[in-house]
Amino acid sequence: MRLNQDNGHSLDSVVLLFLFGLFVFFSPFTFWWSASASVWYLPYLLWLGLIVLIAWVVHRRRHDV
């Protein structure tokens, strides 16, 4: 079985998504978007955006193989 030679690229995408999730949900930025007079479903939209990004990376990775 031959291993994918571009494994580093998919690892980079996973690390970047992880860092993006940390930035959005566990940083001082969190206090800013949660304290503002925003809509009640904003945290759910942010989670949905992160889930869509992860699904896109997984879908793209599956078609690259």
Side-chain angles (χ1 to χ4, degrees), residues 7-58:
N7 196 16
H9 179 67
S10 63
L11 182 63
D12 290 343
S13 299
V14 170
V15 170
L16 285 175
L17 280 174
F18 177 73
L19 291 175
F20 176 73
L22 281 178
F23 176 73
V24 170
F25 295 110
F26 299 109
S27 70
F29 181 66
T30 305
F31 298 117
W32 177 72
W33 63 258
S34 65
S36 68
S38 60
V39 293
W40 62 269
Y41 52 85
L42 180 63
Y44 300 106
L45 285 177
L46 293 173
W47 275 112
L48 179 66
L50 186 62
I51 291 169
V52 166
L53 280 174
I54 291 169
W56 178 67
V57 167
V58 168

